[in-house]
Amino acid sequence: MKKIILVFTVLLIIVGCNSPKNYSGKLSVIDLKVDSILSLMTLEEKIGQMNQYNGFWDLTGPAPNEGDAANKYNHLKQGLVGSMLNVRGVEDVIKVQKIAVEETRLGIPLIIGFDVVHGYETQSPIPLAESASWDLETIKKSAEMAAKEAAAAGINWTFAPMVDISRDARWGRVMEGAGEDAYLGSLIAKARIEGFQGDDLSKSNTIAACAKHFAGYGFAESGRDYNTVDVGTSTLYNTIFPPFKASVDAGVRTFMNSFNELNGIPATGNKFLQRDILKGKWNFDGFMVSDWGSIMEMIAHGHAKDKKHAAELAVNAGSDMDMESYVYVNELKTLIDEGKVNVTLIDDAVKRILKVKFELGLFDNPYRYCDLEREKEIIGSKEMHDAALDMAKKSIVLLKNDNDLLPLKKTGQKIALIGALASDKNSPLGSWRIAAKDNSAVSVLEGMQQYNENELVYAKGTDVSIGTHNFASEVKINTTDKSEFKKAISVARKADVVVLVLGEVGFQSGEARSRTELGLPGLQQELLEEIYKVNKNIVLVLNNGRPLAITWADKYISSIVEAWQLGSQSGNAIAQVLYGDYNPSGKLPMSFPRNVGQVPIYYNYKNTGRPGPKKEVFWSHYQDEKNSPLYPFGYGLSYTTFKYDNLQVSNVNNNKVNVSVQISNSGDVKGKEVVQLYIRDEVASVTRPVKELKGFELVELKPKEAKTIEFVLTDKELGFYNNEGAFIVEPGTFKVFVGGSSDKTLDADFEL
Ligand code: NOJ
């Protein structure tokens, strides 16, 4: 602590004012302080700030060949480390922070990063599931809770939100994003950033957020993680960039670049992305961290000839912090001596990093986030679990309920609960759940046992996977063992209703979890068909981290519930929805394909020169499958029904358009509906999609209640980016569509 006091004494003389507790709105004071510290630093110490090491415990990337614990420890002592990731828990954070603060020359505190992706210890639903709620307030609250819990464990920085748009369910990381749409994705990015960062970053319950992965990572060819990305300019500006731009506008303090290349240049060494767009055009004043080892990986990409070259390319392109490549700390000094890197770029990077440390209040008190009492009180508290349950219920999407099997009757029923996932307490925790306790989620079985006036019989049916897995291990799927089929079939035969819980285990989605098939893994499809032979009253509950192709189920099973991986409170949320204590209102944030061959599939496609259907064969279609998805973007049912009437467009002037629609609850129970507005710019200098989401409102209605919903479309909604990256609005004919799904809408025209 002595060093910090020494630095502050120097600072106070230089800056000439007291260190304010809350820096928001006083960036210039921080800038002066940052400059003062910078003037005290040696080149080695500056480079040290740009160096980030993994801790000594969890591993969220490939194990490095160099940088063993002893080496890292020495660097830490020498002031050659600016940040650590995967150090968690107050005790451990204090251990490393103490070295930085008390044993290094200047005592500059570390910034401690962690993947707080869908909760810290208490898990919220996976982000894709949360996005299905379309409930920005609750999503913000979920991030707020995650920040509070993580901050109580000594963490000051999350590597979230992932704002990559993706249209490819084969890519395992769709679970971590907000789905396929840039408009929805931008609003969710903002909500999550505001939730994590709050209104004052220096508070001990807020943490810095990180918009990742900049850019294009969600467009990996064939959905194979880390694969090459090849997208056109229009997609880059109109689909990939918007959530990142929205993140900058929301004040996100850090960015992470991506593993992929873009136009042949890896994102980590991509100057266009980092310096021209992000720090130039968008004026981002936070810092950019590389992804795990991504600087060094430019060698494998065939872009850098060696580690030194990789460091040169990355720093010149605008990557400020090196996560686990060890090349900044080892190579930057030589590169500067050789004149290959200008020291002003180092100064710029360090200033950005120090600024965020100041904003977090770490210079005021490096142990601000380290309070053992608070840690005990907050982590896993009722407040966390209540919020996780609320978010989980709102994330569930009712896909089918043809015969009104749902909600289940609460008494007098014999219910067969079948499926290994029904009793699984680990899978609902999802993939990014490093700080969660294994097997700590409420299972569907436990959730349904709360409703004890029915007879509930459980049978596993079949294991989805074999053995146990973790974040770094491959999941092995059971493709042979049917020994439990018989028992499950017999239990199903005697039941009034069968609840079948099928889908993916938690680690089947997430980083490096791509799939070429999108059906139910292993023997689950066979189990479903066998059960159907003996009992048609089936409610299928899906637990999965990505859209699945469940065409058979859609044809034969009358009730289907999309329950994703819903986190710690999963089973309670599912049971409350099944029994009608919560009326589902989720809408899909990603299209569900009929067949994996349709992927990438998304609602906002282009019309092509040969739309159909046509009499002859010469139109854009498949011989063996429809073009449309099984369930489209924006789709989701309720236990009630909604009716849309009277779509009106008025006041079309000054590029402002008022749209109104009447919605009424035409069913018998209270329910929530996401009223969605889409537009189509019919003729444009760069072709526009057949539909684009440009507004939505979540409305709750009592039975027979009606409301008029109003939307205002301005330039922001009516324009688009041209191929020079300029945002333009073109006059002409537009269509507007309003409804409860991207495919079921009223429509009207207007002229701009
Ligand atoms: C690699 C992932 O791509 C990134 O999202 C994550 O934040 C880092 N590993 C650190 O765990």
Side-chain angles (χ1 to χ4, degrees):
M1 206 53 199
K2 268 188 231 140
K3 307 270 172 50
I4 278 283
I5 292 166
L6 182 75
V7 171
F8 267 97
T9 317
V10 178
L11 271 178
L12 293 183
I13 296 164
I14 299 169
V15 175
C17 68
N18 281 325
S19 155
K21 268 205 170 120
N22 177 351
Y23 289 101
S24 54
K26 298 187 179 174
L27 287 181
S28 58
V29 175
I30 290 185
D31 287 339
L32 282 170
K33 292 184 175 195
V34 165
D35 284 344
S36 308
I37 295 208
L38 198 75
S39 68
L40 302 174
M41 294 170 82
T42 63
L43 180 59
E44 285 81 356
E45 284 164 340
K46 289 178 186 173
I47 293 169
Q49 285 303 303
M50 299 166 70
N51 183 29
Q52 184 188 49
Y53 282 152
N54 191 56
F56 312 109
W57 304 279
D58 305 311
L59 213 60
T60 54
N65 298 328
E66 48 186 310
D68 56 45
N71 201 12
K72 284 180 182 176
Y73 186 76
N74 283 337
H75 281 182
L76 199 53
K77 279 183 121 173
Q78 291 158 26
L80 297 180
V81 183
S83 171
M84 293 196 82
L85 76 148
N86 292 335
V87 177
R88 61 185 164 99
V90 166
E91 242 176 67
D92 285 344
V93 170
I94 289 178
K95 270 188 223 156
V96 291
Q97 195 66 290
K98 242 181 163 192
I99 302 173
V101 170
E102 293 179 18
E103 297 187 37
T104 68
R105 192 180 75 91
L106 289 174
I108 297 174
L110 297 165
I111 175 171
I112 307 288
F114 193 76
D115 290 281
V116 186
V117 173
H118 44 98
Y120 176 69
E121 185 185 289
T122 311
Q123 298 302 304
S124 265
I126 56 170
L128 186 66
E130 289 195 354
S131 305
S133 72
W134 296 51
D135 184 333
L136 301 173
E137 272 310 305
T138 310
I139 292 173
K140 180 174 166 186
K141 175 82 192 267
S142 166
E144 201 179 299
M145 290 298 107
K148 187 170 175 179
E149 206 184 47
I155 298 199
N156 1 96
W157 175 25
T158 174
F159 305 125
M162 185 190 96
V163 305
D164 297 304
I165 297 299
S166 182
R167 299 160 163 178
D168 196 330
R170 293 170 299 182
W171 190 52
R173 293 193 88 165
V174 296
M175 58 76 63
E176 205 179 330
E180 73 190 33
D181 184 66
Y183 179 86
L184 179 63
S186 298
L187 291 173
I188 290 177
K190 179 174 184 286
R192 302 194 74 214
I193 289 161
E194 288 175 356
F196 286 132
Q197 296 191 162
D199 53 8
D200 179 356
L201 214 50
S202 75
K203 283 189 184 157
S204 54
N205 58 0
T206 57
I207 57 180
C210 178
K212 71 188 188 185
H213 307 83
F214 198 56
Y217 186 40
F219 280 71
E221 278 179 359
S222 340
R224 202 182 74 213
D225 205 5
Y226 317 126
N227 203 3
T228 305
V229 168
D230 195 357
V231 289
T233 315
S234 186
T235 302
L236 187 64
Y237 279 107
N238 290 290
T239 305
I240 294 174
F241 279 170
F244 287 104
K245 170 74 166 66
S247 300
V248 175
D249 294 344
V252 73
R253 300 315 294 132
T254 73
F255 257 59
M256 184 185 289
N257 51 38
S258 52
F259 289 124
N260 57 281
E261 66 167 60
L262 196 73
N263 286 324
I265 303 174
T268 313
N270 200 308
K271 183 174 162 296
F272 162 74
L273 285 176
Q274 299 176 99
R275 291 219 185 272
D276 301 352
I277 297 290
L278 180 64
K279 293 176 179 173
K281 213 167 176 177
W282 298 349
N283 231 349
F284 172 63
D285 69 345
F287 71 86
M288 168 71 83
V289 63
S290 82
D291 204 343
W292 182 297
S294 70
I295 303 184
M296 198 167 58
E297 288 175 12
M298 286 197 285
I299 303 170
H301 273 287
H303 189 57
K305 60 175 184 283
D306 54 25
K307 288 179 185 172
K308 192 167 133 197
H309 190 205
E312 178 189 341
L313 290 168
V315 79
N316 284 335
S319 294
D320 301 311
M321 188 181 274
D322 170 1
M323 180 194 289
E324 281 288 314
S325 276
Y326 308 89
V327 295
Y328 279 6
V329 72
N330 292 330
E331 310 288 352
L332 279 187
K333 181 150 187 321
T334 319
L335 286 164
I336 291 161
D337 291 344
E338 290 173 2
K340 288 186 176 145
V341 171
N342 193 318
V343 78
T344 56
L345 296 185
I346 306 293
D347 285 352
D348 177 64
V350 177
K351 277 189 197 178
R352 288 167 181 272
I353 294 163
L354 293 179
K355 185 168 174 167
V356 175
K357 290 187 178 182
F358 264 111
E359 289 168 352
L360 283 164
L362 289 168
F363 280 99
D364 272 354
N365 176 7
Y367 306 109
R368 175 181 299 266
Y369 298 80
C370 298
D371 177 334
L372 280 165
E373 279 309 303
R374 189 170 60 221
E375 185 178 39
K376 257 193 245 141
E377 184 196 314
I378 287 173
I379 296 184
S381 63
K382 184 171 179 305
E383 185 190 18
M384 296 298 144
H385 283 273
D386 287 351
L389 176 59
D390 184 47
M391 185 76 254
K393 288 190 284 194
K394 291 174 174 167
S395 304
I396 294 174
V397 185
L398 180 62
L399 296 176
K400 255 192 102 181
N401 196 22
D402 282 358
N403 304 332
D404 290 336
L405 262 185
L406 291 174
L408 298 172
K409 296 191 187 82
K410 287 186 178 163
T411 56
Q413 296 281 293
K414 186 162 186 176
I415 298 195
L417 178 64
I418 297 175
L421 289 172
S423 61
D424 191 335
K425 292 172 66 60
N426 216 27
S427 287
L429 299 172
S431 170
W432 279 110
R433 31 62 68 90
I434 310 152
K437 293 194 180 106
D438 282 341
N439 298 305
S440 61
V442 177
S443 69
V444 182
L445 176 60
E446 289 166 330
M448 288 192 72
Q449 279 166 343
Q450 304 298 311
Y451 293 82
N452 54 15
E453 290 177 32
N454 279 334
E455 190 188 335
L456 182 70
V457 188
Y458 172 66
K460 180 166 72 171
T462 180
D463 279 315
V464 183
S465 57
I466 305 165
T468 53
H469 337 279
N470 59 39
F471 188 77
S473 69
E474 213 66 73
V475 175
K476 286 195 194 75
I477 297 298
N478 169 29
T479 53
T480 51
D481 182 4
K482 294 189 202 169
S483 56
E484 301 277 328
F485 264 45
K486 214 166 145 199
K487 187 175 162 207
I489 293 165
S490 135
V491 164
R493 187 177 278 122
K494 294 178 212 137
D496 297 310
V497 180
V498 180
V499 176
L500 255 162
V501 185
L502 305 177
E504 299 180 310
V505 293
F507 289 114
Q508 261 186 285
S509 59
E511 188 177 344
R513 310 293 166 152
S514 300
R515 291 182 61 194
T516 61
E517 294 288 346
L518 292 175
L520 296 166
L523 300 168
Q524 295 179 99
Q525 179 64 33
E526 198 178 327
L527 176 70
L528 175 62
E529 292 181 26
E530 290 300 318
I531 302 282
Y532 181 76
K533 284 182 192 155
V534 300
N535 194 332
K536 307 274 181 277
N537 283 345
I538 295 177
V539 174
L540 172 61
V541 176
L542 297 170
N543 281 177
N544 44 302
R546 52 157 62 81
L548 295 177
I550 48 154
T551 310
W552 187 93
D554 177 67
K555 192 162 171 200
Y556 295 102
I557 306 301
S558 64
S559 292
I560 307 179
V561 176
E562 176 51 78
W564 316 103
Q565 282 138 3
L566 290 177
S568 305
Q569 286 292 323
S570 171
N572 286 333
I574 293 170
Q576 288 186 27
V577 164
L578 294 182
Y579 276 105
D581 284 342
Y582 188 84
N583 186 355
S585 56
K587 301 278 186 180
L588 295 178
M590 253 188 114
S591 307
F592 275 42
R594 297 172 190 276
N595 181 314
V596 71
Q598 293 179 305
V599 171
I601 186 166
Y602 47 100
Y603 84 95
N604 47 353
Y605 58 88
K606 301 282 185 82
N607 209 31
T608 81
R610 292 196 174 186
K614 294 260 163 64
K615 257 204 235 131
E616 297 85 16
V617 75
F618 305 109
W619 63 285
S620 178
H621 71 297
Y622 300 102
Q623 292 183 65
D624 55 355
E625 189 50 278
K626 292 180 184 165
N627 283 5
S628 62
L630 186 62
Y631 305 118
F633 174 83
Y635 171 80
L637 305 173
S638 161
Y639 293 151
T640 189
T641 48
F642 298 99
K643 210 167 148 282
Y644 287 81
D645 292 293
N646 204 15
L647 174 64
Q648 301 225 340
V649 181
S650 60
N651 190 32
V652 186
N653 55 36
N654 305 328
N655 291 351
K656 229 182 192 179
V657 181
N658 291 340
V659 180
S660 69
V661 73
Q662 202 194 50
I663 174 171
S664 47
N665 182 342
S666 45
D668 300 326
V669 287
K670 189 172 78 172
K672 278 192 284 178
E673 167 78 329
V674 182
V675 181
Q676 302 157 43
L677 179 146
Y678 299 83
I679 63 155
R680 176 170 178 184
D681 183 348
E682 303 247 47
V683 181
S685 55
V686 180
T687 59
R688 309 300 310 135
V690 293
K691 252 176 211 180
E692 288 181 277
L693 181 73
K694 291 294 172 183
F696 64 88
E697 200 173 314
L698 190 57
V699 37
E700 185 167 50
L701 295 172
K702 294 190 211 92
K704 311 296 169 244
E705 190 185 354
K707 263 189 194 160
T708 299
I709 308 294
E710 311 211 345
F711 296 96
V712 182
L713 300 173
T714 63
D715 279 3
K716 211 169 139 222
E717 289 79 29
L718 298 169
F720 62 90
Y721 289 92
N722 67 14
N723 287 343
E724 280 69 54
F727 191 78
I728 56 168
V729 186
E730 290 183 341
T733 310
F734 284 74
K735 256 194 178 339
V736 59
F737 312 84
V738 181
S741 166
S742 64
D743 72 335
K744 292 216 170 42
T745 49
L746 301 175
D747 62 275
D749 295 315
F750 65 88
E751 197 79 27
L752 203 61

